[in-house]
Structures are given as C-alpha cells and as structure tokens.
Amino acid sequence: LFTHIRRRCWEDCRDRSRSRSRSRDRKKTKSEANGDSQRFFLKNTGELDDWKIQSHFKRYGEILSCNVLMDKRKKQYRGMGFITLKPEGYYRGKKNTKQMMIEWVLEESHVVNGVKIDVTQADEKPEEDEDRKR
C-alpha cells in the first residue's frame, strides 16, 4: 500500500513539473502572431539600456521586444541590440503598415542621449533547436 502511494505521489510531482516547462507549441503561436512585426538590429548603442532605447522607438510603433546585448564576464553592454516593432498609429497621414514603418525607421537618424545609433533590418530569427540548447 505504501509503495503504491509513494509511486503515485512521485508521478504527481513529475506531472506538475512538466506542466511548468516551456512548450514549443506556445513559442510557435507567439511568433506566428507577430507576423506583422519587424526586427531591427541596433549598432553603436554604447551604454544605453533597454528603457532608453524603448522610449526612443515607441513613436514608430508598438514595441514587442527590446534586447541590448551584454558581456556576461565584464557585465558591460556590448554596444549592439535588437528591437522588434509592430506598426501602430499613423505615418504621413496614413495608417502605418509594416513597409511604411520599415522605411520610416531606416530613413531617420537616431540619436539617443547623444549617442548616434545605426539601425538596419535584422535577418530572420532562426528556429531554435531544442537539442542544440543542451
């Protein structure tokens, strides 16, 4: 009887831990929902953090993600990052579309706190392979 109860408790614990793990399906649906968004590569960000960059780029559209790369050993910013924007609002009197947002972001010069940032379109993010991560 105790063996059965112990085994049953162990199975319940394993089931609970699985339910908290991240699933591939959840990630796919999130990326598919963002088909209207565009990812940009930022160079020469210097010591700017996520918050300062987000406050500058929020006028171009909704910010879905903003990542400023850091050196893990030195705990310093590497001077580059990525930002993902979704078109929102109006540009030149017309409703903002993905192509219009791309032109708008790329044609303007971006100066944040005295730092001139170079912005280019980022390549498509490759699919993550679960086996490579381990």
Side-chain angles (χ1 to χ4, degrees):
L1 180 68
F2 288 114
T3 313
H4 173 71
I5 293 171
R6 197 176 321 143
R7 186 177 305 136
R8 181 74 179 166
C9 289
W10 174 249
E11 289 172 2
D12 287 345
C13 290
R14 287 181 46 198
D15 287 342
R16 272 189 237 127
S17 68
R18 283 189 203 130
S19 66
R20 286 188 224 143
S21 67
R22 295 180 182 170
S23 134
R24 288 185 192 175
D25 298 333
R26 204 176 315 152
K27 286 183 180 179
K28 286 180 184 175
T29 57
K30 187 177 178 184
S31 65
E32 289 170 1
N34 299 337
D36 196 24
S37 63
Q38 178 61 44
R39 202 161 176 244
F40 294 98
F41 177 64
L42 312 173
K43 293 187 281 188
N44 302 331
T45 58
E47 291 295 317
L48 297 174
D49 59 357
D50 295 353
W51 183 81
K52 291 176 185 172
I53 291 173
Q54 286 180 9
S55 64
H56 174 75
F57 282 96
K58 68 183 175 187
R59 68 182 183 156
Y60 298 104
E62 179 185 350
I63 297 172
L64 300 177
S65 70
C66 179
N67 301 326
V68 179
L69 303 179
M70 288 191 75
D71 189 344
K72 291 180 182 179
R73 288 188 210 154
K74 296 179 183 178
K75 305 282 189 222
Q76 294 177 342
Y77 292 109
R78 293 181 58 194
M80 60 184 126
F82 292 94
I83 191 163
T84 306
L85 298 170
K86 182 177 180 182
E88 184 179 79
Y90 291 89
Y91 172 61
R92 294 185 178 164
K94 297 180 184 174
K95 186 161 174 47
N96 202 0
T97 63
K98 182 177 177 180
Q99 189 58 39
M100 289 169 63
M101 181 190 66
I102 291 170
E103 291 171 6
W104 188 16
V105 171
L106 294 179
E107 76 184 15
E108 286 196 12
S109 63
H110 302 277
V111 179
V112 182
N113 286 4
V115 179
K116 186 175 185 309
I117 300 175
D118 298 328
V119 180
T120 57
Q121 272 185 285
D123 297 334
E124 288 295 319
K125 194 171 186 180
E127 288 293 324
E128 295 179 1
D129 188 8
E130 292 295 320
D131 296 334
R132 282 187 69 186
K133 281 185 171 180
R134 297 178 189 173

